[in-house]
Amino acid sequence: QVQAVASGGGSVQTGGSLRLSCTASELTTRRYCMAWFRQVEGKEREGLGAIHSTGKTWYADFVKGRFTLSQDTDKRTLYLQMDTLKPDDSGTYYCAAQASELSSAEFCFRRRYTSWGPATTVTVSS
């Protein structure tokens, strides 16, 4: 199991931006999935988007147009650029990583991840 470490959270005002990072240094395979999730108080963890190491991406409908995924495969790092942030985006952000020969970003988004590393907190004030 691979542990992915999230970082980059902080406090911003409505309309602001943040860039989160997720590093899975234990990944040794060239083909893998990485994904972002968040948990808002009182709700279940929800998927935001996922990427396969081949570069394919998949986004949840509610973040399309505001959140953008990118990666540095050499560093096994996934980035989440979040723009036009809203108070509803406040929460605890997690990332996950897993080896995957299947290069489907939708599969990366919908698969069940079993290992979770340290999360990062985002607070958006109105």
Side-chain angles (χ1 to χ4, degrees), residues 2-104:
V2 176
Q3 186 176 77
V5 180
S7 62
S11 297
V12 296
Q13 293 187 327
T14 297
S17 298
L18 278 174
R19 187 194 194 208
L20 306 184
S21 299
C22 169
T23 299
S25 56
E26 298 170 348
L27 273 173
T28 57
T29 58
R30 292 178 58 245
R31 296 171 70 86
Y32 55 84
C33 293
M34 294 185 77
W36 280 103
F37 299 80
R38 74 181 180 196
Q39 188 160 20
V40 177
E41 188 173 351
K43 296 185 178 181
E44 294 185 354
R45 188 178 297 172
E46 59 185 355
L48 303 176
I51 196 168
H52 190 267
S53 53
T54 53
K56 298 176 182 178
T57 57
W58 186 271
Y59 296 92
D61 287 343
F62 63 88
V63 304
K64 287 180 180 178
R66 295 195 303 127
F67 292 7
T68 305
L69 293 168
S70 61
Q71 65 178 342
D72 183 332
T73 54
D74 289 339
K75 296 180 179 178
R76 298 297 194 264
T77 298
L78 173 66
Y79 302 100
L80 179 66
Q81 177 68 39
M82 304 189 295
D83 298 317
T84 321
L85 285 164
K86 304 179 287 186
D88 287 349
D89 294 316
S90 298
T92 302
Y93 284 66
Y94 300 83
C95 61
Q98 192 70 41
S100 176
E101 285 296 320
L102 180 63
S103 62
S104 164

